[in-house]
Amino acid sequence: MKSKFNKQPLIEVKGYEKNHSWEGYEQIIKEIKGKIDAIDKEKKIVAMDFYPGVRVDEIRENIIENFPEAISIFTDEEIFFDNEFVTNKIKDYMTEDRVFGIMSPCQFIDFIDQDKLHATRKQIEEAKGLILVYGVAASLLTKPDLHIYLDLARWEIQKRYRRGEIPNWKHNNYNDDILRKYKRGFFFEWRMADRYKKDHFENFHYILDTNLKDIPRMITAKSFLVGLESATKQPFSVVPFFDPGVWGGQWMKEVCDLDRSVENYAWCFNCVPEENSLLLKVGEVIVEVPSINIVLKYPRPLLGEKVHARFGTEFPIRFDFLDTIEGGNLSLQVHPLTEYIQENFGMHYTQDESYYILDAKEDAYVYLGVKTGTTKEKFFGDLAKAQEGEIEFSVEKYINKIPAQKHDHFLIPAGTAHCSGVNSMVLEISSTPYIFTFKLWDWGRAGLDGKPRPIHIEHGSKVLQFDRDTEWTMNNLVNQVKKVNEGKGWREEKTGLHEREFIETRRHWFSVPVLHDTEGELNVLNLIEGEQAIVESPEGKFEPFIVNYAETFIVPAAVGKYSITPYGPSKGKEIATIKAYVRF
């Protein structure tokens, strides 16, 4: 059976089919020149505003140099302090750790050299004709007549880091350790760039998609904002991103129809809006924009009033896949308690998790909770010895090894030791601060880059809860399934999460249409059983939305009532979804 998994879900922006989208530098330059010619001023200022990670040389060669008559100003060099100043200013946020920093509250304006700024503004004031300002935070220099924002997805930035193609913003670390580059992006520049972008959405005239090398795509800002807003009125999916890993498996290759020549796929990030992207079809052009843009611009209809009040412009629910089928064990790990992440990393909430077993082989298992009688001194003493190469750490000596079957649900509140074992296909349902994993033991493996994977025993020793022993784990964290409601052809079950976690999960088994209601709150769902389902509005508020097996989709708070029905090859058969929302 050929996979139906949709790797390129898109939202069609209706009413903007003509004169709102362009592809290729030739078309884009023609449109920009036309707009410049229409500006009835002696001095014309165009700003090309960059998200950090844009290929500067590509834009310079293909756009800036097509305007030889213009005065061109590159903001990164002309108004900001030098690299050394920026790095020194943020050093306390970056820390010496290879992975973890502290969330920076910085703004771009904090790094502007006022002497440079005044000199460059004077240059603009005295100039005549066309002025092209390009680079990061371009509009902080001057108010432009034409404002173009160049954007790209977070995962694309990370791939450029890995290839050594780009450094971090205001740094020359092209070939630095990828984890350190990622750390600087996560804790510093991406947060700062998102704050800037959020404040300037209404000022942009065009959005330029710079994800694909030498294949730029541009849409009007008006169609862009309409596309984002329309997403909050219907079910939608973000573009999934698949990545290999040292423990990766083979299941996703078949089910998601991935490149068979790749050795393995470990992760699929299929609902992490901060990382994923969104496809908008405007006319005949499909642009890829960061899905976090929806959260930043339209948080209230997307998240709902209560969720927005609690989390601000953050998307609090994460769905992703962990594939160990014919692969290896994940690392033994633990996540920080709420107070620990607040006090040490500047985050408001922590990474609570759960493992929903989407599929499994007969010998699948999960490591979860410490064995009864395990002491902190002995456990971390052996981990320290293993880290020094003195002994081989025995996970099974200290951690419960629990058989895992398809549709089991293991709950993992922060502070609980855990690890998915080999031959499991996990749908991880969790809260979003996903970078905060304290690896305790990684089976002596190196990463795909050949470097030792980072271990954080000291952090782990301060958060791992030893009262979560065998009995407590089995009674509180394994298959805590309770029937909530049922009717002819359907039943609803609560499967989690634990009371220390803010996410509620509901599983529906059904062979007939099932009515749902967001009740003004964000819903995230996955089709965990069955080939296909259709999501519809009883009131006709949105077009029918088809979901295939294992696909994750978002139902914004503003949608209200919606139904899910077995569809296509699943008609007349029992299928199942799991739904997550924030518990209040």
Side-chain angles (χ1 to χ4, degrees):
M1 181 182 68
K2 183 172 174 57
S3 169
K4 294 185 175 71
F5 191 92
N6 187 0
K7 298 186 288 295
Q8 295 286 303
L10 59 82
I11 292 174
E12 189 166 351
V13 184
K14 296 184 177 179
Y16 293 84
E17 288 78 12
K18 294 183 179 180
N19 302 319
H20 282 274
S21 59
W22 303 266
E23 182 171 339
Y25 282 113
E26 184 177 348
Q27 284 190 23
I28 289 169
I29 290 168
K30 182 179 178 181
E31 172 64 16
I32 293 172
K33 285 185 174 180
K35 287 299 178 184
I36 292 172
D37 290 342
I39 299 171
D40 187 18
K41 289 183 178 180
E42 184 179 7
K43 182 189 300 180
K44 304 176 182 183
I45 302 174
V46 177
M48 302 198 70
D49 226 327
F50 290 10
Y51 198 93
V54 169
R55 295 183 175 101
V56 177
D57 288 342
E58 180 181 329
I59 301 303
R60 190 178 282 136
E61 292 168 9
N62 290 283
I63 296 182
I64 305 302
E65 292 179 5
N66 271 278
F67 296 88
E69 76 282 10
I71 296 172
S72 60
I73 298 169
F74 182 43
T75 56
D76 295 43
E77 295 175 354
E78 297 298 329
I79 68 171
F80 287 103
F81 284 108
D82 62 22
N83 295 1
E84 184 179 1
F85 176 93
V86 174
T87 298
N88 285 335
K89 190 174 178 69
I90 64 171
K91 63 181 180 181
D92 290 340
Y93 297 110
M94 291 301 96
T95 76
E96 293 300 318
D97 191 275
R98 187 180 171 201
V99 176
F100 301 118
I102 299 170
M103 203 59 69
S104 161
C106 297
Q107 305 278 0
F108 282 121
I109 198 169
D110 299 331
F111 304 95
I112 289 179
D113 182 327
Q114 292 299 317
D115 291 337
K116 283 185 174 182
L117 180 67
H118 293 319
T120 308
R121 281 180 173 170
K122 185 177 180 181
Q123 178 188 4
I124 293 173
E125 185 180 333
E126 295 174 350
K128 294 180 180 179
L130 179 61
I131 300 169
L132 290 181
V133 179
Y134 68 105
V136 166
S139 69
L140 294 183
L141 171 59
T142 184
K143 184 178 180 180
D145 300 300
L146 184 62
H147 199 172
I148 304 167
Y149 193 77
L150 285 68
D151 214 348
L152 73 165
R154 187 75 51 82
W155 265 113
E156 175 58 26
I157 297 172
Q158 292 179 56
K159 289 192 287 185
R160 294 178 190 184
Y161 283 167
R162 291 177 186 178
R163 294 193 295 263
E165 182 181 342
I166 62 170
N168 286 104
W169 182 70
K170 300 303 291 183
H171 208 299
N172 292 317
N173 59 342
Y174 287 89
N175 298 312
D176 201 356
D177 176 2
I178 177 59
L179 294 180
R180 293 189 182 276
K181 292 172 77 173
Y182 179 78
K183 178 181 73 170
R184 181 161 167 145
F186 182 88
F187 287 97
F188 169 52
E189 61 199 62
W190 299 337
R191 302 287 167 164
M192 185 166 60
D194 285 345
R195 294 184 192 112
Y196 175 85
K197 180 164 55 174
K198 181 168 64 173
D199 289 341
H200 290 81
F201 274 128
E202 297 293 339
N203 300 330
F204 303 144
H205 296 106
Y206 295 95
I207 303 296
L208 182 56
D209 167 9
T210 65
N211 285 283
L212 298 178
K213 185 174 176 59
D214 296 323
I215 309 177
R217 297 179 173 122
M218 188 172 78
I219 59 174
T220 59
K222 188 173 183 180
S223 65
F224 165 73
L225 293 176
V226 168
L228 295 187
E229 187 176 22
S230 68
T232 69
K233 300 176 181 179
Q234 61 184 307
F236 69 93
S237 294
V238 296
V239 180
F241 182 85
F242 301 89
D243 212 27
V246 294
W247 43 262
Q250 305 299 314
W251 189 91
M252 289 191 291
K253 283 187 186 180
E254 299 300 322
V255 175
C256 304
D257 191 24
L258 305 179
D259 185 351
R260 305 306 197 272
S261 68
V262 175
E263 184 176 349
N264 69 63
Y265 288 96
W267 293 276
C268 170
F269 298 93
N270 50 0
C271 182
V272 190
E274 190 174 299
E275 296 287 316
N276 290 113
S277 55
L278 184 74
L279 297 180
L280 300 177
K281 186 171 188 267
V282 182
E284 296 303 313
V285 176
I286 297 173
V287 296
E288 183 175 8
V289 298
S291 49
I292 191 65
N293 288 347
I294 310 176
V295 187
L296 297 175
K297 179 57 182 169
Y298 297 109
R300 294 170 73 174
L302 175 66
L303 305 177
E305 295 295 333
K306 290 188 292 185
V307 177
H308 179 234
R310 183 170 174 180
F311 295 97
T313 51
E314 292 193 21
F315 194 97
I317 300 171
R318 178 188 75 177
F319 276 38
D320 62 88
F321 291 156
L322 308 172
D323 182 358
T324 67
I325 290 184
E326 298 179 29
N329 295 328
L330 271 69
S331 60
L332 179 65
Q333 56 195 244
V334 65
H335 300 297
L337 301 173
T338 301
E339 61 267 32
Y340 196 82
I341 203 170
Q342 289 173 341
E343 293 165 2
N344 291 275
F345 304 111
M347 296 293 293
H348 302 299
Y349 60 101
T350 193
Q351 187 170 333
D352 290 307
E353 290 187 342
S354 71
Y355 287 167
Y356 189 91
I357 307 301
L358 197 61
D359 204 354
K361 290 197 169 185
E362 288 185 3
D363 58 348
Y365 53 88
V366 166
Y367 291 108
L368 186 64
V370 297
K371 284 188 173 180
T372 299
T374 297
T375 65
K376 180 177 181 178
E377 292 73 22
K378 182 63 175 171
F379 179 80
F380 282 104
D382 277 4
L383 277 175
K385 291 178 182 177
Q387 187 66 9
E388 295 299 320
E390 297 177 19
I391 63 170
E392 180 77 14
F393 184 76
S394 173
V395 174
E396 294 183 26
K397 179 179 178 180
Y398 295 110
I399 306 297
N400 302 301
K401 184 178 181 181
I402 305 170
Q405 297 181 336
K406 186 173 182 176
H407 295 304
D408 284 347
H409 200 177
F410 299 91
L411 315 180
I412 313 172
T416 307
H418 63 283
C419 167
S420 175
V422 67
N423 284 333
S424 294
M425 182 61 209
V426 172
L427 168 61
E428 191 173 41
I429 302 173
S430 59
S431 52
T432 305
Y434 63 96
I435 195 174
F436 296 97
T437 297
F438 300 151
K439 293 185 180 70
L440 304 174
W441 174 245
D442 197 38
W443 317 95
R445 297 178 296 208
L448 293 181
D449 58 3
K451 298 178 181 179
R453 302 230 294 166
I455 300 295
H456 288 94
I457 294 175
E458 183 177 354
H459 282 307
S461 69
K462 296 175 181 177
V463 300
L464 197 146
Q465 304 298 291
F466 284 85
D467 57 348
R468 298 178 191 174
D469 58 13
T470 304
E471 183 179 6
W472 190 92
T473 296
M474 298 305 295
N475 290 337
N476 290 274
L477 304 183
V478 180
N479 287 329
Q480 301 299 298
V481 180
K482 298 177 182 178
K483 186 185 293 183
V484 174
N485 207 346
E486 65 180 332
K488 187 176 181 180
W490 67 274
R491 68 185 185 277
E492 178 183 3
E493 300 164 331
K494 175 182 176 180
T495 68
L497 300 184
H498 186 263
E499 64 182 0
R500 290 187 61 90
E501 306 179 83
F502 63 73
I503 293 174
E504 180 95 357
T505 52
R506 297 293 179 93
R507 182 170 61 193
H508 287 81
W509 297 92
F510 55 102
S511 57
V512 298
V514 172
L515 185 65
H516 296 252
D517 192 337
T518 66
E519 297 182 348
E521 187 178 333
L522 168 74
N523 290 184
V524 180
L525 301 94
N526 186 282
L527 183 61
I528 56 174
E529 186 69 39
E531 287 187 54
Q532 207 166 60
I534 188 167
V535 186
E536 297 173 289
S537 168
E539 300 155 334
K541 289 183 176 179
F542 57 82
E543 292 186 2
F545 180 80
I546 295 173
V547 182
N548 300 300
Y549 174 60
E551 289 179 3
T552 295
F553 61 102
I554 295 166
V555 181
V559 165
K561 291 182 172 61
Y562 61 100
S563 66
I564 307 179
T565 307
Y567 186 71
S570 293
K571 280 185 177 180
K573 300 178 182 178
E574 184 178 66
I575 65 175
T577 59
I578 192 161
K579 174 172 67 176
Y581 56 91
V582 175
R583 181 193 298 136
F584 286 94

